[in-house]
Amino acid sequence: MNNDFLVFDHVTKRFGALTAVNDVCLTVTKGEFFSLLGPSGCGKTTLLRMLGGFERPDSGRIYLEGKDITDLPPNQRRVHTVFQNYALFPTMTIWDNIAFSLKLAKKPKEEIEERVDEILKMIQLADQAWKYPNQLSGGQKQRVAIARALVDRPQVLLLDEPLAALDLKLRQHMLLELDTIHDQVGITFLYVTHDQGEAMSLSDRIAVINRGKVEQLDSPAKIYEAPSSRFVASFIGDTNFFSGEIVSVDGDYCFIQCAGFPQIKAYNDRALKVGQQIDLSVRPEKIRVTLAPPPPEKGASINVFPSKVKDIVYQGVYTKFWLDSSNLRIAALKPHSRFLLDQEAITWNDDVFVWWHPDDGYMVPSEE
Amino acid sequence: MNNPLRTKRAEWLVTLPSFLWLALFFAVPAVIVLAFTFHGHDASGGVGAWGMETWRELVDPDYPAIVWNTLRISFEVTLWSIVLALPCAYAIARMNSKWRGIVAGAIMLPFWTSFVVRVFAWKAMLHPDGWLQACYLVLLRTRAWLFDWLPGFVQQFLIWIGMASAGPVDPASSTILDSEAAVVLVSVYTFLPFAIMPIYTAAEKFDFALLEAARDLGAKNFYAFRKIFIPGVRQGLVSAVLMVFIPAIGSYVIPQMLGGTDCVLIGNKIFMRAIQNRNIPHASALATLMAASVLVPIACAMWWKRRQDARDRRRLEQQTAKLIVAGVGR
Ligand SMILES: Nc1ncnc2c1ncn2[C@@H]1O[C@H](COP(=O)(O)OP(=O)(O)OP(=O)(O)O)[C@@H](O)[C@H]1O
Ligand SMILES: [Mg+2]
């Protein structure tokens, strides 16, 4: 029963000729941290606004705890939004901003005071309560916006790219705080972002959206390790694609022929047949780059290809190599550590070997 | 450029022309008018010798009622203008830019015609055979009917402040032309653009996402309008009130042409004293009185507001201190 707490049932929204949300079906579990992830303009905000009551779907229904809320006005839904630009009321103090929904609900004065003070304590802004929003920093405003939306305990909290306006350090800090707040209040969070890092680190489940359609709905690890489409694989993190045809199948494994490239061995978990067109996705961090060939005892079962180093980009946590292998561009990541120092350093135009385990490639349907 | 002294001097140079203009054509005449009030007048219409006789003459039993009527009518005009201008400005600010231009242009359109011509047009529209007269009678009858329901002392009070009169409505003597209603109606018509424009300017800067946020938190449309939009355009509202109230107090043409003998305002009295009675000092004294009747309330309001702000600030400081002492702060 808890499983269909919030349901989007074949929801479609058009703006003129543009279909912003296309036949979306989603089910969110109670208490879950659920993310909508997708590129700019894919319809995430539109989806949220339909749940908030600011847009009416052209077709389909939205259910919250079994009740059809599709046609309810915003003020009759116990669903609150944290807006991207915070939308704090500039003519009210922080305290009054937070108390706004409680006053509307005609709660007794003592209860309002108690709950506002409690949530102010939670967001650690009790000493700022009597300031006005324009006297606060970005991160503080952000916390106030969250507190204002949470204080009367909505059924769902909607967050529309809440961290987009913050700088990197603050964003990382707020990510942790959001996580803590979610654990404390136990309210269902529906989080919209185009930043896969944010979505991955916070969410219980993620719906990846592309052009108004849900491409994949899964846990962060599943979405990263087992993307359902070429779009998902490329949108979530970096990857290398090898487009080709399955030329032979050998037990759990198959061999893929890409134009002008040696055959690649890959784990065939979907039992695809010979002759099928697929894209093989191999994440850069799964690829190793060495000057010497891999030890022979591994050589038999893994993919090894000779390549040339084209570019090296130092990125702090790791170094990124761009390699040329039979006219294919391959990206690979190598971490830094003292243990790797005894290996000979790799520089531009070195002839190297790239290798990866067949289980580290993941096949997605070809998009043509 | 960065030298503060030079910037200061540049500022002075820039403001000097308007400052001179104001001094020459506003401050100096105001002082002269004030000075005239301490003179007598002579029979030929000139200004007589120094003396307090003008101020003594001003103790005329007619004047308190006229000043009161002027203030009351100006207040009514301001109220109606603001009530109409607020939704107008809100609607214009929400339109797309094409419609915005068209509607803003339409609001300014009357200014292309002479004000006096427009007042004459109103005179025709308010003719006793016209439909406005019919509406007026319906309004009066409704008011009389409502009036009968009120308790006696409220009726007495309304009659006393001039907002109502007892007895049934007599269609023959109740013409909208030459009545207070005509003055209020046409004044609102005249001043409405001056109320809409400042509110609209403020509304244009208003972030309408705030209304969505309010509705999201459970507010009905009207509540959000009242609690978020109106405080959000407060600056514009203040200018609008001043832009309507001040000219309404000095209003002269409209009551002269549409108010008849029923509705004589202080502006008309000044005209009468200056032109018909050729008593310039007396007219000056009335003008001074009128200016004071505007300036004194505004000064009081400003003083009160400043006191209120200081008190708010103190209260906030105390409350914050209390919270911190209670160990709520971090
Ligand atoms: N009121 C509207 N009228 C017309 N088109 C709209 C309207 N609102 C959104 N759209 C269009 O619908 C599409 C989806 O918009 P939406 O705001 O949902 O995207 P988004 O996924 O939130 O993007 P972003 O990450 O940039 O915020 C866009 O192409 C946008 O141009
Ligand atoms: Mg958006």
Side-chain angles (χ1 to χ4, degrees):
Chain A
M1 181 228 139
N2 263 357
N3 285 339
D4 26 17
F5 175 69
L6 168 64
V7 178
F8 287 87
D9 184 19
H10 296 282
V11 172
T12 297
K13 175 76 189 175
R14 292 184 200 88
F15 295 110
L18 178 107
T19 307
V21 172
N22 191 354
D23 196 34
V24 164
C25 296
L26 283 179
T27 303
V28 179
T29 311
K30 188 165 186 166
E32 193 173 26
F33 200 123
F34 191 97
S35 289
L36 300 172
L37 176 63
S40 189
C42 71
K44 309 178 296 282
T45 298
T46 310
L47 208 54
L48 268 207
R49 287 174 59 81
M50 286 193 284
L51 180 54
F54 298 107
E55 305 276 3
R56 178 95 27 114
D58 292 312
S59 64
R61 314 299 297 173
I62 302 170
Y63 302 92
L64 185 57
E65 277 192 312
K67 197 171 138 226
D68 185 347
I69 59 163
T70 320
D71 298 320
L72 286 183
N75 53 322
Q76 287 174 28
R77 308 177 179 211
R78 305 225 328 107
V79 168
H80 294 341
T81 311
V82 177
F83 293 88
Q84 183 171 337
N85 59 356
Y86 318 132
L88 298 180
F89 305 129
T91 50
M92 296 183 191
T93 60
I94 302 312
W95 204 93
D96 287 327
N97 261 281
I98 295 177
F100 190 81
S101 59
L102 295 175
K103 283 183 187 161
L104 271 168
K106 302 228 159 56
K107 293 273 190 299
K109 196 161 168 280
E110 302 76 49
E111 191 188 337
I112 295 181
E113 280 177 5
E114 189 184 319
R115 274 166 70 169
V116 173
D117 288 344
E118 182 192 2
I119 204 150
L120 274 169
K121 221 186 299 179
M122 190 174 95
I123 60 166
Q124 305 184 337
L125 284 180
D127 49 344
Q128 317 275 329
W130 304 100
K131 284 191 177 173
Y132 285 86
N134 63 5
Q135 298 169 307
L136 296 190
S137 72
Q140 291 173 328
K141 282 188 207 168
Q142 180 61 67
R143 294 208 288 262
V144 174
I146 293 170
R148 184 180 70 174
L150 274 178
V151 72
D152 80 330
R153 299 179 195 133
Q155 289 169 293
V156 188
L157 183 74
L158 312 182
L159 302 108
D160 191 355
E161 311 214 10
L163 308 183
L166 305 179
D167 62 55
L168 183 66
K169 264 269 168 285
L170 201 50
R171 198 151 65 220
Q172 287 167 346
H173 178 71
M174 284 305 298
L175 274 178
L176 288 178
E177 288 213 355
L178 264 180
D179 209 19
T180 318
I181 290 174
H182 178 249
D183 289 347
Q184 280 178 7
V185 296
I187 287 170
T188 312
F189 279 36
L190 192 56
Y191 188 91
V192 160
T193 180
H194 62 247
D195 183 314
Q196 40 118 357
E198 278 175 26
M200 304 277 276
S201 50
L202 289 172
S203 319
D204 297 318
R205 286 192 305 155
I206 300 175
V208 182
I209 301 184
N210 185 27
R211 298 208 211 113
K213 272 192 156 318
V214 177
E215 291 258 346
Q216 185 170 7
L217 200 173
D218 250 321
S219 68
K222 273 286 211 20
I223 284 189
Y224 190 76
E225 301 292 348
S228 68
S229 69
R230 189 182 165 115
F231 169 80
V232 175
S234 62
F235 188 72
I236 316 293
D238 266 344
T239 195
N240 296 290
F241 281 119
F242 301 91
S243 310
E245 187 184 324
I246 299 179
V247 287
S248 64
V249 176
D250 169 18
D252 284 344
Y253 293 88
C254 65
F255 288 89
I256 300 155
Q257 181 67 61
C258 308
F261 201 79
Q263 288 192 0
I264 305 171
K265 188 177 176 187
Y267 182 55
N268 187 10
D269 64 334
R270 269 181 274 178
L272 299 174
K273 300 266 175 338
V274 172
Q276 257 176 314
Q277 293 290 328
I278 54 98
D279 289 338
L280 179 71
S281 151
V282 185
R283 303 274 183 201
E285 74 274 15
K286 317 230 160 164
I287 299 181
R288 301 201 62 180
V289 183
T290 50
L291 283 169
E297 71 271 14
K298 288 192 179 169
S301 60
I302 62 176
N303 292 302
V304 185
F305 304 107
S307 344
K308 205 174 192 66
V309 177
K310 281 293 166 192
D311 210 351
I312 304 174
V313 183
Y314 177 76
Q315 294 182 331
V317 184
Y318 39 67
T319 295
K320 187 168 199 171
F321 291 93
W322 286 102
L323 307 135
D324 211 352
S325 184
S326 315
N327 292 324
L328 278 184
R329 278 289 237 189
I330 298 177
L333 292 179
K334 189 174 179 180
H336 308 287
S337 90
R338 288 275 152 194
F339 297 114
L340 299 173
L341 269 191
D342 48 354
Q343 294 180 0
E344 224 178 310
I346 300 171
T347 61
W348 279 263
N349 287 323
D350 274 355
D351 288 309
V352 293
F353 293 92
V354 299
W355 35 295
W356 72 85
H357 195 279
D359 288 358
D360 281 333
Y362 192 82
M363 292 187 289
V364 295
S366 185
E367 269 172 23
E368 257 93 41
Chain B
M1 207 45 230
N2 289 331
N3 183 341
L5 272 177
R6 267 182 62 187
T7 327
K8 253 269 143 53
R9 201 162 63 208
E11 264 173 30
W12 266 104
L13 279 175
V14 172
T15 44
L16 199 61
S18 49
F19 183 75
L20 280 179
W21 176 274
L22 275 177
L24 207 61
F25 297 109
F26 179 76
V28 172
V31 172
I32 294 176
V33 166
L34 188 64
F36 277 171
T37 66
F38 297 103
H39 286 266
H41 76 286
D42 58 29
S44 61
V47 176
W50 288 93
M52 291 303 286
E53 58 176 281
T54 301
W55 282 108
R56 276 196 292 274
E57 275 171 29
L58 218 59
V59 190
D60 180 320
D62 278 357
Y63 286 161
I66 288 175
V67 170
W68 168 243
N69 267 348
T70 308
L71 289 176
R72 182 173 50 81
I73 288 176
S74 306
F75 180 75
E76 269 175 49
V77 169
T78 311
L79 190 72
W80 284 113
S81 300
I82 297 294
V83 165
L84 292 174
L86 257 177
C88 264
Y90 173 85
I92 299 171
R94 300 225 77 171
M95 287 171 186
N96 63 33
S97 56
K98 183 185 123 203
W99 276 103
R100 219 182 261 188
I102 294 174
V103 175
I107 288 170
M108 289 303 162
L109 202 62
F111 292 116
W112 291 85
T113 320
S114 147
F115 172 56
V116 177
V117 170
R118 283 182 283 139
V119 175
F120 267 107
W122 271 106
K123 225 175 153 87
M125 282 199 285
L126 296 170
H127 191 272
D129 293 336
W131 61 274
L132 279 170
Q133 172 69 23
C135 295
Y136 183 58
L137 282 179
V138 171
L139 191 78
L140 283 188
R141 293 208 169 102
T142 316
R143 203 174 67 168
W145 181 76
L146 287 175
F147 184 75
D148 284 342
W149 285 87
L150 293 173
F153 71 96
V154 180
Q155 292 181 343
Q156 290 302 313
F157 177 74
L158 287 177
I159 293 171
W160 184 66
I161 63 166
M163 295 274 286
S165 54
V169 178
D170 169 24
S173 66
S174 307
T175 57
I176 184 166
L177 193 63
D178 297 338
S179 77
E180 189 184 305
V183 174
V184 173
L185 177 66
V186 178
S187 298
V188 170
Y189 154 81
T190 308
F191 297 130
L192 193 56
F194 298 105
I196 293 177
M197 278 306 149
I199 301 178
Y200 162 65
T201 312
E204 210 180 19
K205 293 193 211 95
F206 180 78
D207 177 11
F208 284 96
L210 294 178
L211 294 184
E212 239 171 44
R215 301 229 300 141
D216 187 78
L217 293 167
K220 293 206 176 69
N221 272 327
F222 185 65
Y223 185 88
F225 184 83
R226 207 158 47 88
K227 288 282 179 172
I228 310 295
F229 181 74
I230 292 185
V233 297
R234 200 177 39 203
Q235 288 302 318
L237 269 177
V238 171
S239 333
V241 166
L242 295 179
M243 294 280 280
V244 174
F245 190 72
I246 292 174
I249 284 209
S251 166
Y252 150 71
V253 176
I254 296 171
Q256 185 75 19
M257 302 206 4
L258 304 171
T261 50
D262 202 29
C263 184
V264 175
L265 301 190
I266 200 157
N268 308 97
K269 266 289 185 250
I270 295 173
F271 174 79
M272 207 189 290
R273 293 292 176 252
I275 308 296
Q276 289 170 358
N277 306 2
R278 297 168 63 81
N279 188 340
I280 299 290
H282 197 111
S284 303
L286 279 179
T288 307
L289 204 65
M290 187 178 94
S293 70
V294 182
L295 288 178
V296 171
I298 289 179
C300 287
M302 277 167 69
W303 172 79
W304 187 74
K305 170 100 174 60
R306 191 165 307 170
R307 217 185 62 152
Q308 199 77 359
D309 283 353
R311 214 176 45 201
D312 281 355
R313 207 163 332 114
R314 252 198 328 271
R315 207 194 65 206
L316 296 191
E317 276 162 14
Q318 277 164 7
Q319 249 148 341
T320 312
K322 214 165 62 200
L323 273 177
I324 292 172
V325 169
V328 180
R330 54 175 141 174

